Amino acid sequence: MPQVNVTIAGKAYRMACGEGEEPHLEALARLYDGKIDEMRQAFGEIGDMRLHVMAALMVADEVSELRQRVAAMERQLAAVQGDAGAADHRLSEVEDRAAEALMAAAERIEGVARSLVPAPVG
């Protein structure tokens, strides 16, 4: 199992991960380390544990907000797909009615055409 060395808040950590996940784990560590730096700049030195907790809560808040946005988008997509399905159904009904009207018109035209052709003598 691959291992990755990451640095968070100035401390090095060796972490195991799945094959091929090394760049992702390193990026996550950089993201979290950046959040800790943001907290340190905003609040100064308030203790490592508090900085870690605040940074973790910020990340959790972002994840929560993104989950809500994804859920809202999924609901919107489902509504659009439902609307599209209903529109397809209505279009199919209109096409069926148009085809029936066209067939009826064609039959009437053929009837008129037959009535205009003189009957054969004999």
Side-chain angles (χ1 to χ4, degrees):
M1 178 170 266
Q3 298 210 348
V4 175
N5 290 319
V6 297
T7 302
I8 299 173
K11 294 184 179 133
Y13 298 92
R14 184 170 187 85
M15 308 188 92
C17 62
E19 190 69 40
E21 293 179 355
E22 299 90 342
H24 182 65
L25 182 57
E26 290 167 343
L28 291 173
R30 282 191 302 276
L31 173 81
Y32 186 67
D33 189 48
K35 293 294 180 191
I36 291 173
D37 285 342
E38 284 179 36
M39 296 288 96
R40 185 170 280 127
Q41 289 174 8
F43 301 105
E45 291 298 327
I46 58 172
D48 283 347
M49 182 58 72
R50 182 171 280 188
L51 284 171
H52 282 270
V53 169
M54 291 173 71
L57 289 173
M58 279 185 68
V59 171
D61 182 50
E62 290 175 11
V63 168
S64 175
E65 184 178 322
L66 290 172
R67 283 181 176 166
Q68 290 173 3
R69 289 176 62 193
V70 166
M73 289 179 173
E74 286 174 341
R75 286 190 300 273
Q76 290 173 349
L77 177 60
V80 167
Q81 288 173 334
D83 291 347
D88 285 346
H89 181 70
R90 286 191 302 269
L91 178 60
S92 178
E93 289 175 349
V94 168
E95 287 173 343
D96 289 346
R97 287 195 307 263
E100 290 170 7
L102 186 58
M103 290 296 290
E107 289 172 2
R108 278 186 255 137
I109 291 170
E110 287 175 359
V112 169
R114 279 192 298 270
S115 71
L116 294 175
V117 175
V121 179

